[in-house]
Amino acid sequence: MTAVAERITGLVGALRGHGVRIGTGETVDAARAVEALGLADRELLREGLAATLLHGPGQRALFDSVFDLYFPRGVGGPREAPLDRETLRDRLAEALAADDRALMARLAAEAVDGMGGYGSSPGSDGWSAYQTLDRLRPQTLLARVRADVRGRDGSGAGFADRLLDDEIRGRIEEFRRMVAAEARRRVAERRGRDEIARRGVRPTADRVDFLFANRDQLTELRRAVAPLARKLATRLAARRRRAARGTVDLRRTLRSSLSTGGVPMRPVLRRRRPVRPELVLLCDVSGSVSGFSDFTMLLVQALHDQFSKVRVFAFVNRLDEVTGLLDHGRADPDGLGARIRAEATLTGWHGSSDYGVALGEFAERYGGAVGPRTTVFVLGDARTNMSDPNLHAVREVARQARRVYWLNPEPRDRWGTGDSAAPAYAGLVAMHECRTARQLGALIARLLPV
Amino acid sequence: MFTSVDDVSARLAETGYLASPAVATTVFLAARLGKPLLVEGPAGVGKTELAKAVAQVAAARLVRLQCYEGVDESRALYEWNHAKQLLRISAGRDESWDETRTDIFSEEFLLPRPLLTAIRGDEPTVLLIDETDKADVEMEGLLLEVLSDFQVTVPELGTVTATRRPFVVLTSNAGRELSEALRRRCLFLHIGFPEEELERRIVRLKVPGLGQALTESVVRVVGALRAMDLRKAPSVAETVDWARTLLALGADTLDETVVRDTLGVILKHQDDIQKAAAKLDLEAL
Ligand SMILES: Nc1ncnc2c1ncn2[C@@H]1O[C@H](COP(=O)(O)OP(=O)(O)OP(=O)(O)O)[C@@H](O)[C@H]1O
Ligand SMILES: [Mg+2]
């Protein structure tokens, strides 16, 4: 195999490892693309490989990180003698002021080389983006860059001047990404690119564990709500069509066959009731699982026209209806969680989850929300803080509802450890592991009634 | 069709389409590999325009299938001209039914629709399947069939195979998720909002009368609006509209009043306007 073919194979393997589905056909196209484009211009190569290997926009950030490892910008560190910290900061300030991306990338390489190395072996044991940024502190350049830009543009009195701070912050953010990519590249030279592509690259948002997602990832997830909802709506519509086709209605088939002399020419299909199902959501919104429940609430909100009725209840150790808050959440999804926690009554004497009390309150106060057409989803980790799980209440809800599903964001092997009452609840209603947006999408597509 | 990626950029630019490196590369590859190009992206970033520009530089005829809810084979592929067939039958020459039937299912009574038209011609063709996501799922089966072998079977006439494969561009706004199978047939291109530099060039090209400083400010403000997570972020089309408006108003710099008075050109929803005004520190509207 030629070196280039090997690179492509490696790149494809790494992408597949992150859940991107790439067939052999696409791999062949990728090789043809490389042949047509040549290797001289790395950015064209990047675009060409993306066009042949990817099928949707959600995988692009992942692709770029992996591409940078298999088709690296260069080998080794910069050739020049390392700059000291102050000189580096001066040059970076200039680059940021001029918004010179090429220079920023060169400086990122120098910064990692000069400040990112750690360990004791000759050269370095590894390269850390965190350490580099911690020493360089690019965020403290904001004021300097601002003054510099205003100086060169004249007075700075124009209207767009009020955008300047955000623009500079954006450039600094871009520089941080460059440092991270450069550190990954250097580490990959030491430890093998396959290894780093597997572990050192951020997965696509839909594969991030809800329980460990950081703020940026949660924001990214919120952006993924609308596309995921569209995808699910398409699948639900297909399921609904299939269901509506229904079974043969014998009586009507025979009646209509009278016109053909009693020979049943055309089977009449029973049409299923077109009534859309009702949905009730019970969401644990306590700190530990709030990322999961916020995302799910937004997703259900985005899917609301798939149902004749949706009601959403949130709880920590008290339970309150939040359907109304969710309606208004459409305009400002980022603030939804905070608004729910501020406006609904979710806690009584203490601040930690109590499933038993909350579920009991639901069965008692809102039992009427659940009828034979209702599917209930309970969202939460079933960690009751050692209090009574109140299985009776769950049994009661399950008896009234059409179906009850429990989605648990914890890995299955953690169910039942510590204060988790998951096994007890799972004995009464179907409990599913639901750790990522991808899992949630698959579960909803499968479980949601149509 | 093209000798290099630069050739694509240069020739598209002559028609007034300024391609990003991603766009130029993917168009070049689609032509080279002979694969359909699926272009996705928000409204108004130049997806449709790209197909038109490619047709123009390739001196190809543009055949456009505009998709909508309910578009079907008879609109996309072909249809028999029933009225004309009836006329022919009632004109009733002296002949057997078999002869009549052969006659009315001949070329003369066929109404070819875009997919068939694109496949049949001998001249170079760009087939634009626009807003594919608006069509129902059933339509995808037909597209898949046509795009895999570039042939179409009309039962009464036989199979028509393309003598010259059209350059196919499918566009989608991601209103509905297209099937994996269809995506696999295509090269994928996502056109997002352009980089500042490219957008400045687009404004300069489309609204040449606007001063340089103002062009720059316009692009910066639009960029800031896009970062605000609005219901509908302004697209290239809105940037150009705004630039034209400012030119017409004779503004030579952006100031608070001008922005406030023209925000409605860039933003379509009232709550977006409110939100943007607050974030831009505009006095109450
Ligand atoms: N790269 C570009 N070069 C020149 N003009 C552009 C470019 N991108 C967008 N435009 C301008 O934007 C306008 C809108 O483009 P177009 O109608 O092709 O958008 P679209 O992506 O097809 O949107 P929709 O999804 O709404 O159909 C065009 O009239 C064109 O003037
Ligand atoms: Mg269009």
Side-chain angles (χ1 to χ4, degrees), chain B:
Chain B
M1 200 157 147
F2 300 104
T3 59
S4 67
V5 176
D6 283 342
D7 182 42
V8 178
S9 310
R11 285 164 61 194
L12 286 177
E14 279 166 27
T15 73
Y17 191 92
L18 301 180
S20 66
V23 169
T25 308
T26 318
V27 167
F28 173 72
L29 284 178
R32 265 303 155 89
L33 307 189
K35 290 194 87 176
L37 180 57
L38 170 60
V39 187
E40 248 178 20
V45 290
K47 301 183 296 293
T48 305
E49 199 71 16
L50 173 62
K52 293 184 185 164
V54 169
Q56 202 178 328
V57 301
R61 65 180 173 150
L62 179 72
V63 177
R64 179 173 183 168
L65 170 60
Q66 179 63 48
C67 296
Y68 51 89
E69 216 180 313
V71 65
D72 59 4
E73 268 194 48
S74 65
R75 293 286 141 189
L77 197 54
Y78 70 90
E79 196 174 18
W80 290 106
N81 188 341
H82 294 305
K84 200 168 166 193
Q85 284 176 324
L86 278 177
L87 273 175
R88 166 68 185 78
I89 294 170
S90 51
R93 282 182 231 142
D94 217 4
E95 61 185 4
S96 73
W97 167 240
D98 271 351
E99 285 165 327
T100 315
R101 193 174 51 194
T102 315
D103 192 35
I104 60 173
F105 287 113
S106 66
E107 191 65 40
E108 192 191 341
F109 299 89
L110 187 72
L111 293 173
R113 303 295 188 202
L115 292 180
L116 184 58
T117 308
I119 279 187
R120 286 215 297 186
D122 288 327
E123 67 255 71
T125 302
V126 170
L127 169 61
L128 165 61
I129 304 176
D130 212 8
E131 309 194 0
T132 315
D133 52 328
K134 300 248 171 75
D136 309 301
V137 191
E138 286 76 12
M139 191 64 195
E140 281 191 27
L142 177 64
L143 291 179
L144 264 177
E145 218 179 300
V146 174
L147 297 182
S148 4
D149 335 320
F150 289 93
Q151 64 177 34
V152 165
T153 301
V154 181
E156 298 85 353
L157 288 180
T159 299
V160 186
T161 309
T163 47
R164 178 171 199 148
R165 288 195 172 191
F167 183 101
V168 185
V169 179
L170 300 98
T171 77
S172 161
N173 225 310
R176 177 174 67 74
E177 184 77 3
L178 301 180
S179 74
E180 182 94 0
L182 187 60
R183 289 173 177 279
R184 279 176 190 284
R185 285 264 168 276
C186 305
L187 292 188
F188 178 74
L189 171 64
H190 181 264
I191 305 188
F193 300 126
E195 303 255 309
E196 267 193 34
E197 154 70 15
L198 177 59
E199 193 156 26
R200 277 197 297 267
R201 282 171 50 216
I202 296 175
V203 173
R204 249 179 260 136
L205 183 75
K206 304 271 161 180
V207 196
L210 201 69
Q212 189 175 330
L214 192 49
T215 302
E216 202 157 301
S217 303
V218 161
V219 170
R220 282 174 72 186
V221 173
V222 170
L225 293 172
R226 285 178 191 148
M228 283 181 194
D229 229 351
L230 302 172
R231 274 169 70 180
K232 165 117 183 33
S235 197
V236 183
E238 280 80 34
T239 313
V240 172
D241 284 347
W242 196 30
R244 288 204 177 108
T245 309
L246 294 173
L247 184 66
L249 290 175
D252 40 31
T253 50
L254 274 193
D255 62 34
E256 179 118 7
T257 324
V258 175
V259 174
R260 196 176 33 194
D261 292 348
T262 54
L263 211 49
V265 179
I266 340 171
L267 301 177
K268 307 298 174 194
H269 293 286
Q270 196 52 41
D271 25 341
D272 281 353
I273 293 179
Q274 301 285 355
K275 192 168 177 178
K279 291 207 173 168
L280 289 174
D281 286 333
L282 296 179
E283 305 271 309
L285 285 179

Side-chain angles (χ1 to χ4, degrees), chain A residues 294 334-343:
Chain A
D294 287 358
D334 294 355
L336 174 70
R339 218 167 35 251
I340 285 179
R341 276 166 276 276
E343 292 180 30

Side-chain angles (χ1 to χ4, degrees), chain A residues 214-252:
Chain A
N214 61 31
R215 258 189 52 192
D216 287 351
Q217 288 168 325
L218 289 175
T219 311
E220 208 178 324
L221 269 175
R222 276 193 291 271
R223 297 232 171 82
V225 165
L228 179 58
R230 281 195 296 268
K231 196 181 214 162
L232 289 172
T234 310
R235 287 215 213 130
L236 292 174
R239 266 180 57 201
R240 195 172 297 126
R241 241 190 333 269
R242 235 174 291 140
R245 235 176 268 146
T247 46
V248 175
D249 185 332
L250 197 58
R251 204 161 52 85
R252 283 175 55 210

